[in-house]
Amino acid sequence: MDDLAELIERVMREKDWTLSTLARRSGISTSTLHSWKSGDRATGSRGPSPALLRKFADGAGLTVAEVFEAAGRHVPAAMDDETERRFLHMLRALSDDDRKVVEATMQAMAERQRS
């Protein structure tokens, strides 16, 4: 298993990309990718944010699971389209106040999984 720095190196080597090319394709700044590649993942208290890791996965043509694992983050569970549709339908049916409660609950659950 690659760590994040090794994964970046591997993508660059296999695709014959520069760090600038990878940054452009992923929509992440070159300086952020450079810090990840240098092993300085301190772009937040727990390392790269899930949103940036997803952008990196998309831009590099990798799976989200592969990138999250390399970054030492909890790998998000796969969700099929029907399950996602049901969750969104239920969420949209809630009041704004209830949606805030759901969001806070989900954030707390995600934090608990990271620790």
Side-chain angles (χ1 to χ4, degrees):
M1 173 186 81
D2 294 329
D3 72 8
L4 192 54
E6 291 168 344
L7 187 60
I8 292 168
E9 287 287 343
R10 181 169 58 87
V11 167
M12 291 171 56
R13 183 178 58 254
E14 289 176 359
K15 297 183 182 280
D16 195 28
W17 287 353
T18 64
L19 195 61
S20 296
T21 302
L22 182 55
R24 183 176 39 79
R25 289 180 172 266
S26 62
I28 300 172
S29 73
T30 304
S31 61
T32 296
L33 288 177
H34 183 272
S35 71
W36 294 359
K37 190 171 164 276
S38 301
D40 176 23
R41 298 186 321 189
T43 55
S45 61
R46 289 199 161 90
S49 73
L52 285 179
L53 292 173
R54 282 185 176 87
K55 287 175 77 172
F56 174 70
D58 288 344
L62 301 168
T63 66
V64 169
E66 184 177 12
V67 173
F68 272 61
E69 190 174 296
R73 299 294 295 256
H74 172 75
V75 177
M79 183 181 296
D80 62 73
D81 290 343
E82 178 58 24
T83 302
E84 184 175 7
R85 187 196 63 74
R86 283 195 326 268
F87 271 91
L88 287 173
H89 177 75
M90 289 185 283
L91 189 63
R92 288 180 181 129
L94 298 176
S95 68
D96 285 341
D97 288 341
D98 286 344
R99 271 186 279 211
K100 289 176 185 174
V101 170
V102 170
E103 181 180 5
T105 301
M106 292 174 71
Q107 285 176 338
M109 293 171 76
E111 278 295 314
R112 191 180 70 219
Q113 284 186 344
R114 285 192 281 261
S115 57

